[in-house]
Amino acid sequence: MKKIIFILFISLSLVQCANDDDALDCSTVLCEGPSFVFEFIDSDTGDNVLEGVFDNGVPDGFFIALGEDDIALEFGIDYAVNPLNQLGVFRFSEQFQISLPNVFDVTIAYDFGAISNGCCQDYTYENVTVINATFEQVEDGNRLFLRIFI
């Protein structure tokens, strides 16, 4: 009896659910949104500029603003620094201004695209520019990952 129940369970788990329209059922799919990672590198030494800067919280004068309206972001809610001292931004904008007084003040802009990929979307970032610094774009799936040289 246990064997029959096991086989029935396995058989049912292999059946793909579809509605009458033969469309995908995306109701249980959790999709990843666009994400942004910025790494700030000293162009002379190759050191990560943010290393240790956030050890005691947000440094005085550090800010990130979105878009042309300069909407300020809040640390821990809208952005954070990971253990690799990379800045991750959790809010969407096609333009960021990021500043650390006496270290850097950059504006990052790009064109954004979303392409349907089944239940979720893939994201593209084109025509990326960084004002006041040089940069390289690191290929990283759906994330915009920039290594910015200060």
Side-chain angles (χ1 to χ4, degrees):
M1 181 69 171
K2 288 182 182 180
K3 191 179 225 180
I4 293 173
I5 292 173
F6 178 74
I7 292 172
L8 180 62
F9 175 76
I10 295 297
S11 298
L12 289 175
S13 68
L14 296 176
V15 174
Q16 181 178 1
C17 297
N19 62 22
D20 293 337
D21 297 331
D22 229 10
L24 291 173
D25 178 11
C26 298
S27 64
T28 59
V29 176
L30 180 62
C31 297
E32 179 182 350
S35 68
F36 312 94
V37 176
F38 307 120
E39 186 173 54
F40 294 89
I41 305 295
D42 184 308
S43 57
D44 293 329
T45 65
D47 294 337
N48 187 315
V49 173
L50 296 182
E51 188 168 338
V53 170
F54 284 83
D55 286 352
N56 296 316
V58 180
D60 289 339
F62 182 85
F63 78 91
I64 301 177
L66 296 182
E68 295 176 2
D69 297 331
D70 290 332
I71 300 168
L73 300 186
E74 188 174 337
F75 182 74
I77 295 173
D78 299 316
Y79 71 93
V81 175
N82 69 23
L84 298 174
N85 297 299
Q86 299 165 333
L87 182 65
V89 180
F90 315 129
R91 294 275 307 268
F92 175 77
S93 179
E94 290 184 78
Q95 180 176 318
F96 298 97
Q97 182 180 357
I98 306 173
S99 180
L100 179 60
N102 301 318
V103 182
F104 62 83
D105 184 8
V106 299
T107 300
I108 301 163
Y110 57 90
D111 295 328
F112 174 80
I115 302 163
S116 180
N117 183 9
C119 291
C120 298
Q121 295 181 332
D122 288 333
Y123 304 103
T124 61
Y125 309 93
E126 297 175 348
N127 303 318
V128 178
T129 60
V130 177
I131 298 170
N132 294 333
T134 59
F135 73 98
E136 76 179 13
Q137 186 170 345
V138 178
E139 290 300 321
D140 194 11
N142 276 335
R143 294 193 306 175
L144 176 62
F145 185 162
L146 299 180
R147 194 167 283 133
I148 300 169
F149 299 95
I150 306 301

